[in-house]
Amino acid sequence: MFIRLGYEIGISCNQPTEIIALLDVHPDSADRIIASSGLKISPELPVHYYLDAYGNSCLRFTAQPGEVTLYRDSLIEDDGQPDPWDSMVTEAPVPDLPDEVMAYLLASRYCETDLMMDRAWGLFGHLPPGWARVRAIFDHVDQRLTFGYQYARATRTAAEAYDERIGVCRDFAHLAITLCRCMNIPARYVNGYLGDIGVPPDPAPMDFNAWCEVWLGGRWITLDARHNQPRIGRIVVARGRDATDIPLIQSFGPHMLTKFRVWTEEEQDNAALTRYHGAVPS
C-alpha cells in the first residue's frame, strides 16, 4: 500500500533561536519513500541535517524573530501488514545481551527504574520470562492508564503516570518501557506516524504517536501499550531511551507553537498518486 504523510508546523520566536527538529521519516525507511515535496521552510533559512547518536535524522536551523513554518508532504510504500507479533520469542539473560542494547536497561529521564523496581517485580516477577511476561506488562499498562489529550503534560514520568493513572501515548510508552527495564528486558521509545488504517477512524486531530520496541528473541519487536494490538502503517521517525532523546522540536530558547497539522493516511486514488511525480508507482 501507499501512505501519504506529512506535517505543517509553525513556531514563533522573539529572538534568534537554535532549533533541532525530528519530524521526518527515519533513515532506515528512506528507501521506501516514493516521492516527497521536500522540506519547505518559510521564510527561507539555511538548514542542515545530521544523524544523532541513535541514528535519527535531525534538522537544525536558526529561527529568526517572528514565525517560521516547516512543511513536508511525502508518499511512502508500506507492506500493509500489521506489527509482527511472535509468541515464541524468548528473553535473553543479561550476560547474553548485546552491548548495543544495554543502555536500554538503564533508568532515563522519564523512565525511573529505581522507583518502579519493587512494583515491577511484585507484579510480574512470578510470570515465566518471555512473550507471556512482556504481554502481561503491556496489558497492565493499557488497563491501568486512561488515555486523554487533556491529560497531556510534558513533565510526567513513568512513576507519576502509574500513580495518576492517566496520560497520552508517550506516558503509556514510558511506563511500559520502565516496567520492561525493571524486569531486565531492554526497551526503547519510538516516535512516528500512525494513521487510522485498518481500524475505525479517530475523530480527534491527527498527531504523531509514541510506542515501544522491546528486545526479544534477538531482535527489536514493536509493541504499543496504548492501542495494545498490532497496527498497520507505523512509520518510524526516531528512536531513543525516552522522549528526552527525541523531542519533535527542541528549541534553545523560548518559542511558541503557532500551527500544528499532521497527516498520515492510506492513499488509494491513482489520480492522487500522480500529484507527486506524474506516474503511478508500479
Side-chain angles (χ1 to χ4, degrees):
M1 69 167 56
F2 300 103
I3 297 175
R4 181 187 178 191
L5 54 83
Y7 56 84
E8 185 178 26
I9 297 175
I11 60 173
S12 179
C13 302
N14 292 326
Q15 60 190 21
T17 304
E18 196 73 2
I19 303 290
I20 296 174
L22 287 81
L23 301 168
D24 297 314
V25 173
H26 192 277
D28 286 354
S29 298
D31 61 349
R32 294 164 48 202
I33 298 174
I34 304 301
S36 174
S37 66
L39 175 68
K40 296 181 179 180
I41 184 167
S42 179
E44 292 187 6
L45 292 169
V47 304
H48 75 273
Y49 285 90
Y50 70 92
L51 296 181
D52 66 12
Y54 302 97
N56 304 309
S57 179
C58 304
L59 170 68
R60 182 174 175 182
F61 63 94
T62 303
Q64 299 302 310
E67 184 173 359
V68 60
T69 299
L70 305 171
Y71 174 92
R72 186 188 292 271
D73 186 33
S74 299
L75 189 70
I76 191 168
E77 191 169 13
D78 187 80
D79 63 11
Q81 299 301 307
D83 304 323
W85 284 9
D86 183 357
S87 61
M88 302 303 293
V89 291
T90 59
E91 295 178 28
V94 174
D96 295 342
L97 291 172
D99 295 340
E100 60 269 21
V101 309
M102 293 299 289
Y104 300 106
L105 287 178
L106 306 178
S108 53
R109 166 67 177 85
Y110 293 104
C111 300
E112 322 100 298
T113 53
D114 53 341
L115 299 182
M116 297 294 295
M117 190 69 68
D118 290 344
R119 289 175 178 171
W121 280 93
L123 288 166
F124 310 110
H126 66 287
L127 298 176
W131 181 253
R133 180 152 67 182
V134 171
R135 286 300 319 141
I137 289 172
F138 278 77
D139 289 343
H140 179 77
V141 175
D142 176 71
Q143 294 162 14
R144 184 168 184 87
L145 301 189
T146 297
F147 178 87
Y149 290 108
Q150 70 274 24
Y151 303 139
R153 189 175 79 236
T155 60
R156 183 182 290 116
T157 67
E160 290 171 340
Y162 185 88
D163 291 337
E164 297 173 18
R165 307 188 70 149
I166 56 175
V168 291
C169 58
R170 60 178 268 158
D171 301 303
F172 283 72
H174 284 149
L175 182 53
I177 288 168
T178 303
L179 294 172
C180 284
R181 290 179 185 173
C182 287
M183 305 306 298
N184 296 325
I185 306 167
R188 64 187 182 184
Y189 182 91
V190 186
N191 189 50
Y193 294 91
L194 179 61
D196 300 324
I197 299 174
V199 297
D202 186 339
M206 188 67 68
D207 198 351
F208 289 98
N209 273 258
W211 58 87
C212 312
E213 290 178 348
V214 178
W215 185 262
L216 290 169
R219 65 188 188 275
W220 291 108
I221 292 181
T222 296
L223 291 164
D224 183 340
R226 180 203 164 187
H227 296 104
N228 209 31
Q229 62 178 332
R231 290 287 297 268
I232 298 170
R234 290 187 199 272
I235 310 296
V236 172
V237 169
R239 300 180 175 97
R241 294 169 302 172
D242 62 26
T244 301
D245 290 332
I246 53 172
L248 295 172
I249 295 178
Q250 174 72 57
S251 67
F252 296 87
H255 79 273
M256 182 172 65
L257 189 66
T258 58
K259 184 182 301 180
F260 188 85
R261 190 166 66 93
V262 176
W263 53 92
T264 174
E265 56 196 12
E266 184 179 359
E267 189 72 274
Q268 297 176 313
D269 183 353
N270 285 353
L273 294 178
T274 64
R275 291 197 304 263
Y276 294 89
H277 59 153
V280 178
S282 58

